[in-house]
Amino acid sequence: MNISRWINYAASYLKESGRETARIDAEVLLAHCTGRDRAALYRDGLDDLPPGQEKMFLQLLERRAGGEPVAYITGHREFMGLDFLVNPAVLIPRPETELLVEKALEILRPVPAPVAVDVGTGNGAIAVSLAVFLESAKIYATDISGAALEVARQNAVRHGVGGRVEFLEGDLLGPLPDIPGFRADLLAANLPYVPSSEILLLMKGVRDFEPRLALDGGPDGLDHYRRLIPRARRLLREGGHLLMEVGAGQGAVLRGIMGPGWKVEVFPDLAGRERLVIAKRLGVYGQNSEFRIQNPE
Ligand code: GLN
């Protein structure tokens, strides 16, 4: 059977199995099996698939029909226009997280030789993107999962920034080097923020296959951010920024948790949902006019 007929067959099979993105999934999986890109599948539509590739394609279709995310099947996911390795030890990078990276780039571009920390880096998508797009930046990236850090390290090396991203294993900011006077310009955090009840009751689709450690944020989803904020304050320089990705409805709650000494803004993603909290570290309470104007309470 030729490539074009395989795509049609696979798309209708995945659709019957309830996959909403059936056609594109079929194309991505076939491209992966044949070593072609998706455009080449159309150019070569009349070519027959060699039997080995047919067999492999059928196996991958079966996995996809069972709900496994395409990114885990192929081992790749694009983020910020860069190709990242993924495996089931890490969350699959989401397109909405590009908002956090774009804002971080905006903030850091004017800073000479900026220092940033990516807390809970997972597969390293945020840390590596920052290093790729900011040539003079030094990035520290932490994660409590050693298996995740292995993936992140490979991603840094693949993108040529292995020398400027330092990966450290441990909880939140704990593993950062204990250098007196060490201060960061920016902290980026896409910590687990899904409320536990939502994971237990509503887990479906992609999340079924992802590590719970990377998703579960406790009763209201904000437990990890609660622990991070006071530590972040000690590590950030005055005027430095803490960027936190959140889910729907969490922006206002997090703003309340921040307390005085921060100037807080909440940004929506392209779908209009609250997605990013940016908190600028102000000076000591009462001594900073910007603070008094922005936070009169
Ligand atoms: N946005 C992801 C989801 O809804 C969660 C990411 C996270 O917890 N950091 O599945």
Side-chain angles (χ1 to χ4, degrees):
M1 195 154 78
N2 70 35
I3 285 179
S4 145
R5 295 184 63 180
W6 267 112
I7 293 177
N8 288 333
Y9 162 77
S12 49
Y13 175 64
L14 290 179
K15 199 162 180 201
E16 277 165 34
S17 318
R19 302 293 137 229
E20 281 168 17
T21 48
R23 176 158 290 268
I24 185 161
D25 291 356
E27 291 176 9
V28 171
L29 292 176
L30 189 56
H32 179 69
C33 289
T34 60
R36 291 171 165 89
D37 61 28
R38 278 170 56 217
L41 293 178
Y42 285 89
R43 189 193 63 214
D44 303 337
L46 298 178
D47 290 3
D48 280 333
L49 276 189
Q53 290 182 9
E54 285 186 347
K55 195 168 163 232
M56 178 180 174
F57 187 46
L58 284 169
Q59 284 168 354
L60 302 193
L61 278 182
E62 213 48 58
R63 287 168 63 185
R64 181 61 194 134
E68 191 172 340
V70 173
Y72 284 158
I73 299 175
T74 63
H76 296 260
R77 168 54 52 96
E78 193 221 282
F79 180 81
M80 292 297 293
L82 305 170
D83 178 62
F84 283 94
L85 300 176
V86 293
N87 71 23
V90 299
L91 201 77
I92 299 165
R94 308 284 203 263
E96 55 269 25
T97 302
E98 294 184 353
L99 173 67
L100 183 153
V101 174
E102 277 157 13
K103 291 286 182 190
L105 292 174
E106 247 172 62
I107 292 167
L108 291 177
R109 260 190 207 111
V111 180
V115 175
V117 183
D118 177 17
V119 194
T121 193
N123 83 329
I126 294 173
V128 171
S129 302
L130 292 178
V132 166
F133 295 111
L134 295 167
E135 285 174 8
S136 67
K138 167 81 191 184
I139 315 288
Y140 295 88
T142 72
D143 206 288
I144 202 160
S145 158
L149 285 176
E150 265 174 47
V151 181
R153 275 195 193 98
Q154 289 179 49
N155 279 321
V157 171
R158 295 181 74 204
H159 291 292
V161 295
R164 283 189 296 116
V165 188
E166 197 165 321
F167 293 100
L168 303 159
E169 187 173 339
D171 182 43
L172 301 179
L173 303 172
L176 284 170
D178 195 9
I179 307 167
F182 176 86
R183 289 281 180 279
D185 296 296
L186 182 139
L187 304 181
N190 180 13
L191 296 177
Y193 58 71
V194 180
S196 309
S197 56
E198 218 180 282
I199 294 189
L200 291 174
L201 298 173
L202 299 174
M203 251 183 70
K204 59 178 189 306
V206 169
R207 286 179 185 166
D208 274 325
F209 292 83
E210 291 183 313
R212 182 165 172 179
L213 182 68
L215 289 165
D216 192 341
D220 68 352
L222 296 173
D223 275 5
H224 299 291
Y225 288 129
R226 271 191 195 84
R227 293 191 301 122
L228 174 69
I229 290 162
R231 302 172 197 194
R233 212 184 141 72
R234 290 193 288 274
L235 194 79
L236 272 180
R237 69 165 164 81
E238 191 175 331
H241 292 80
L242 169 60
L243 279 66
M244 293 171 284
E245 185 178 305
V246 294
Q250 293 177 332
V253 187
L254 196 52
R255 183 194 283 274
I257 293 171
M258 299 296 305
W262 299 92
K263 178 186 158 197
V264 185
E265 282 183 281
V266 181
F267 294 88
D269 62 20
L270 292 172
R273 280 183 292 258
E274 280 183 358
R275 183 62 67 191
L276 180 65
V277 174
I278 301 188
K280 182 176 181 187
R281 183 198 188 286
L282 302 175
V284 178
Y285 180 75
Q287 292 180 6
N288 186 307
S289 57
E290 189 181 12
F291 169 67
R292 280 202 299 273
I293 293 162
Q294 300 292 337
N295 295 279
E297 79 273 23

